[in-house]
Amino acid sequence: MSDSLQQRILDAIQNPKNVGEMQNADSVGTVGSADCGDMLRMWVKFREDDAGRKVIDRATFQTFGCETAIAVASVATELIAGKTIEEALSMSGQELAAPLGALPPMKIHCAQLVEGALRSALTPGASAENAPSPALAAPGGVATDGAAKGATLLESFAAPAAPGRKVKVALKPQP
Ligand code: FES
């Protein structure tokens, strides 16, 4: 990894943006990386823009991931604000990581972890995991996906798995 890329990643993780669960999220997605076992959850809130389009108001994340995943999620959540669902879905992991610079091959899956969580959150109906659980969206709780029993990524791992529950794993072949 180049010194400049390493420095941009360090800068990003020293002051990561949009970290933490979102209390009033409209959707949430969680993915795990088959490459490294890390996980990332992303919450998304929508709004209507001046043109009447449904756009991403803001996104937040939590992760059990490496520094690169944290840095990419930080810049990606800033990058997608104001974009339509279609625009955000059209972005690859590399594009989401673009503010950091080109990632080396061994770190591309870290950006794909962010891309996967975003896709999971932005694809309603693709999985029951996308829909916020009414029980968990109650005051004091948090909108979260069907994979989660708790308000945070950590709590969801600490909670016993529901019968038949599976963690969604997003795999994407590298170009
Ligand atoms: Fe697992 Fe980066 S090494 S996300």
Side-chain angles (χ1 to χ4, degrees):
M1 196 180 308
S2 70
D3 288 347
S4 58
L5 174 60
Q6 184 67 43
Q7 188 57 55
R8 283 192 291 273
I9 290 173
L10 289 174
D11 289 345
I13 64 172
Q14 281 178 354
N15 185 26
K17 304 291 191 294
N18 304 310
V19 176
E21 69 269 22
M22 190 190 299
Q23 296 291 328
N24 59 345
D26 292 319
S27 190
V28 60
T30 307
V31 294
S33 169
D35 292 296
C36 63
D38 289 337
M39 300 203 68
L40 191 140
R41 176 169 296 164
M42 188 173 288
W43 289 261
V44 177
K45 182 74 177 173
F46 300 109
R47 65 175 169 83
E48 189 172 297
D49 70 5
D50 293 340
R53 304 180 312 166
K54 182 179 178 180
V55 298
I56 296 169
D57 183 35
R58 59 187 294 256
T60 66
F61 73 96
Q62 286 186 329
T63 184
F64 296 133
C66 68
E67 293 179 346
T68 302
I70 296 169
V72 173
S74 176
V75 297
T77 51
E78 293 191 300
L79 209 55
I80 61 175
K83 293 191 182 301
T84 64
I85 293 174
E86 293 74 23
E87 289 169 344
L89 284 174
S90 73
M91 299 180 74
S92 67
Q94 290 277 33
E95 289 170 324
L96 292 168
L100 299 172
L103 300 177
M106 65 185 295
K107 286 296 181 181
I108 288 176
H109 77 274
C110 312
Q112 290 174 335
L113 188 71
V114 177
E115 178 190 350
L118 179 61
R119 288 184 179 283
S120 178
L122 294 181
T123 314
S127 164
E129 294 180 8
N130 296 93
S133 163
L136 294 172
V142 62
T144 186
D145 60 10
K149 285 289 187 183
T152 67
L153 192 54
L154 179 61
E155 287 168 349
S156 69
F157 277 96
R165 166 191 173 279
K166 294 178 182 173
V167 173
K168 183 174 182 179
V169 177
L171 301 175
K172 182 180 176 184
Q174 296 186 10

